Amino acid sequence: MEQYLPLYQKAAVLTIRLGILGIVFSILIGLICSFVLYYQIPIIKRIVAIYIEISRNTPLLVQLFFIYYGLPKIGIPTNAEICGIAGLSFLGGSYMTEAFRSGLEAVDKVQLESAESLGMNRFQTMRYVILPQAVSISIPAFMANVIFLLKETSVFSAISLMDLMFTAKDLIGLYYKTTESLFLLVVFYLIILLPISIIGSLLERRVRYAGFGD
Amino acid sequence: MAEELLTIDHLTKQYGENVILNDVSLTVHKGEVVVVVGSSGCGKSTLLRCINALESIQGGEICLQGEKIEQEGKNITALRQKIGMVFQCYELFPHLTVLNNILLAPVKVQKRREEEVKAEAFELLKRVGLEDKADSYPRQLSGGQKQRIAIVRALCMHPDILLFDEVTAALDPEMVREVLDVILELAEQGRTMIIVTHEMQFAKAVADRIIFIDDGKIIENSKPEQFFSHPETERAKQFLNMFEYKRK
């Protein structure tokens, strides 16, 4: 079994690298879209709503195929890694949007009014009053999304990215070592995801302490 | 008579067809304490919210020292800094300590020096008996303490006028007193205030003038002695009778 370890390590690095990049872009998309929805910006909010529905109601595998096989057809050259990141961001963006939006909307309206009555402008109200509270409310949903997106990277094997899933399938195909390959697959996913899960619960406890009044 | 600070001129506020405030005019002079009373839903809280431009208005105008208060006006944030407001529900920022609740707006909005505001904040906290709570979070405080902090927070902005919107309505009876005492002290210092309250004894003690609103209209505007002993309108008599208890 040891001889497979380097392969898994390499695959894990790829999974983490693409996963993190996808999550970073998901967060960016999520922030922008949640502000659009929160401030009810006309027309753009419609576009965001359509994006969210498409993104959440189609499987990542289908999204990846669309990007991987579709883009070259309309003349946009691409490679598997970029497709993987793009697909993950497309999916994650909508989930992050919902997480942040629910956080923003959960902040009591009287908070907004008391900030305004202190003479704060829109930006200051968001920066000092709404956002800090929204972030702490969003943390549980946010962490769940991070874990969900990292797990979704297993679909990358379908566009021949050599991630953990691909490596396991490859080894099964080559050497028929099904049990060992799958065992290592589970172990490596746990090595990646358990620490994140633990950090998540610690973070939740911390922000809960600082946040929420009565 | 002192100078006119706030003038409300033929103010109308409505939600669709539903008229909340109907042709309300009122002038508040510097140093005056105006108490607004009336039954629930008569529009008295809405009046305060209009003064702070938290509500849009459909007719008339509100001016603070001649400057028009408009929701979409360019100078609205500057005007709001001159109008301190304390709400019914405790509206302290839950993610900040008491001290940072007080410092936030003076430092970030008015760009004053932090040490200067801090010194003032501690001075005021001491006056309301809460200097030991500076590093507490709002959720660690009682309702009465939170309201006293909210008053300090409003005072630290150096407002020209203070608005109190039923600040004791959500409090336990024992805590009402500690908050009202703070407001009484402010009245003695000659602060200009508009107070919406259901505490009639307090209204009698603190007010220079009583405004009685019924169904969106000001129907009495008189000295407290006169309002409480000889109300002019039937409606006001009925209203005041609700606060009397007698065995049949």
Side-chain angles (χ1 to χ4, degrees):
Chain A
M1 215 150 69
E2 313 84 63
Q3 68 269 32
Y4 304 147
L5 277 178
L7 288 173
Y8 274 94
Q9 278 166 7
K10 230 179 116 190
V13 169
L14 182 96
T15 293
I16 294 172
R17 188 161 54 86
L18 298 190
I20 287 177
L21 281 169
I23 288 165
V24 167
F25 285 114
S26 300
I27 293 170
L28 289 178
I29 296 171
L31 280 176
I32 294 168
C33 293
S34 60
F35 281 131
V36 167
L37 295 179
Y38 183 74
Y39 286 119
Q40 298 276 321
I41 299 170
I43 304 167
I44 306 177
K45 74 173 182 194
R46 292 270 160 82
I47 299 170
V48 169
I50 293 170
Y51 155 66
I52 289 174
E53 290 310 315
I54 293 174
S55 155
R56 297 215 303 175
N57 293 314
T58 52
L60 178 58
L61 186 61
V62 175
Q63 294 170 7
L64 279 181
F65 280 165
F66 237 84
I67 297 170
Y68 190 59
Y69 297 111
L71 288 186
K73 283 243 164 72
I74 55 168
I76 302 172
T78 180
N79 71 42
E81 283 202 5
I82 291 175
C83 284
I85 295 167
L88 199 63
S89 312
F90 184 80
L91 177 77
S94 64
Y95 279 84
M96 290 298 184
T97 303
E98 290 296 337
F100 296 149
R101 188 187 61 102
S102 63
L104 288 171
E105 283 175 2
V107 178
D108 206 326
K109 198 170 157 245
V110 75
Q111 292 284 314
L112 190 95
E113 289 182 345
S114 60
E116 282 180 346
S117 76
L118 285 166
M120 291 191 203
N121 61 31
R122 256 186 172 193
F123 173 77
Q124 291 163 332
T125 303
M126 179 50 77
R127 162 80 179 72
Y128 299 114
V129 177
I130 307 294
L131 209 53
Q133 296 182 57
V135 165
S136 52
I137 298 169
S138 301
I139 288 282
F142 170 79
M143 289 312 293
N145 284 346
V146 168
I147 291 169
F148 161 72
L149 290 173
L150 279 172
K151 287 192 289 192
E152 283 294 297
T153 57
S154 59
V155 176
F156 286 176
S157 59
I159 54 170
S160 57
L161 277 169
M162 300 191 21
D163 76 329
L164 285 170
M165 195 68 201
F166 187 93
T167 305
K169 282 201 280 191
D170 215 24
L171 290 174
I172 294 169
L174 282 172
Y175 307 112
Y176 299 110
K177 299 270 186 195
T178 312
T179 320
E180 294 89 334
S181 301
L182 289 180
F183 175 72
L184 282 175
L185 181 64
V186 171
V187 168
F188 268 84
Y189 270 119
L190 283 178
I191 290 173
I192 297 174
L193 289 165
L194 271 182
I196 295 175
S197 189
I198 291 165
I199 291 170
S201 359
L202 288 178
L203 211 58
E204 262 172 57
R205 217 172 303 160
R206 246 192 93 94
V207 292
R208 197 171 312 139
Y209 177 72
F212 318 122
D214 15 71
Chain B
M1 203 71 184
E3 66 168 302
E4 291 181 0
L5 193 66
L6 182 85
T7 51
I8 302 173
D9 197 22
H10 299 290
L11 167 69
T12 302
K13 163 77 198 171
Q14 52 193 82
Y15 293 108
E17 293 294 293
N18 195 0
V19 180
I20 310 293
L21 292 170
N22 187 358
D23 195 27
V24 168
S25 295
L26 175 68
T27 304
V28 179
H29 297 88
K30 199 161 190 265
E32 198 177 16
V33 179
V34 175
V35 172
V36 183
V37 297
S39 50
S40 292
C42 70
K44 51 196 192 310
S45 286
T46 310
L47 177 66
L48 285 198
R49 294 169 57 84
C50 287
I51 295 172
N52 213 344
L54 290 174
E55 301 281 348
S56 61
I57 60 177
Q58 279 67 48
E61 62 174 31
I62 306 171
C63 290
L64 183 74
Q65 287 166 320
E67 267 188 282
K68 200 170 162 191
I69 298 172
E70 285 172 299
Q71 212 170 22
E72 299 302 323
K74 274 205 185 99
N75 55 353
I76 185 64
T77 56
L79 276 170
R80 276 178 176 151
Q81 289 170 40
K82 298 183 191 171
I83 307 171
M85 179 145 178
V86 182
F87 296 78
Q88 176 181 346
C89 5
Y90 331 116
E91 81 301 6
L92 295 178
F93 305 132
H95 60 295
L96 298 176
T97 60
V98 164
L99 186 63
N100 285 330
N101 258 284
I102 301 169
L103 295 186
L104 182 62
V107 172
K108 300 292 182 191
V109 178
Q110 294 182 323
K111 313 281 181 209
R112 278 155 57 196
R113 279 188 34 245
E114 192 173 320
E115 302 84 81
E116 174 219 321
V117 188
K118 214 184 239 175
E120 189 185 349
F122 272 108
E123 184 59 39
L124 286 166
L125 281 173
K126 209 185 219 167
R127 279 238 294 273
V128 301
L130 292 173
E131 70 269 38
D132 55 331
K133 299 289 183 197
D135 295 320
S136 304
Y137 281 91
R139 69 192 158 80
Q140 298 165 314
L141 305 176
S142 71
Q145 291 171 330
K146 280 187 235 185
Q147 288 301 57
R148 283 183 280 162
I149 302 290
I151 295 171
V152 169
R153 187 174 70 175
L155 287 175
C156 260
M157 295 291 287
H158 301 160
D160 292 331
I161 184 167
L162 284 163
L163 313 177
F164 293 95
D165 185 8
E166 295 189 36
V167 288
T168 58
L171 295 182
D172 291 339
E174 306 96 86
M175 290 170 181
V176 170
R177 183 76 202 213
E178 60 190 43
V179 176
L180 296 185
D181 279 342
V182 171
I183 301 177
L184 270 173
E185 200 191 318
L186 294 174
E188 270 160 36
Q189 292 166 13
R191 298 256 182 193
T192 316
M193 300 192 275
I194 304 179
I195 303 169
V196 170
T197 185
H198 283 299
E199 304 283 338
M200 290 305 136
Q201 292 302 319
F202 170 68
K204 208 185 275 184
V206 79
D208 293 319
R209 197 142 55 98
I210 301 274
I211 303 288
F212 180 68
I213 298 186
D214 186 53
D215 206 14
K217 274 194 157 121
I218 294 182
I219 59 172
E220 294 216 23
N221 179 349
S222 48
K223 294 258 166 216
E225 309 85 68
Q226 200 201 333
F227 178 78
F228 286 106
S229 51
H230 307 289
E232 285 163 27
T233 58
E234 262 317 296
R235 191 66 195 84
K237 273 179 206 154
Q238 279 172 13
F239 176 76
L240 287 172
N241 273 337
M242 291 194 316
F243 295 92
E244 305 288 332
Y245 291 94
K246 252 182 251 158
R247 276 181 74 163
K248 289 214 174 96

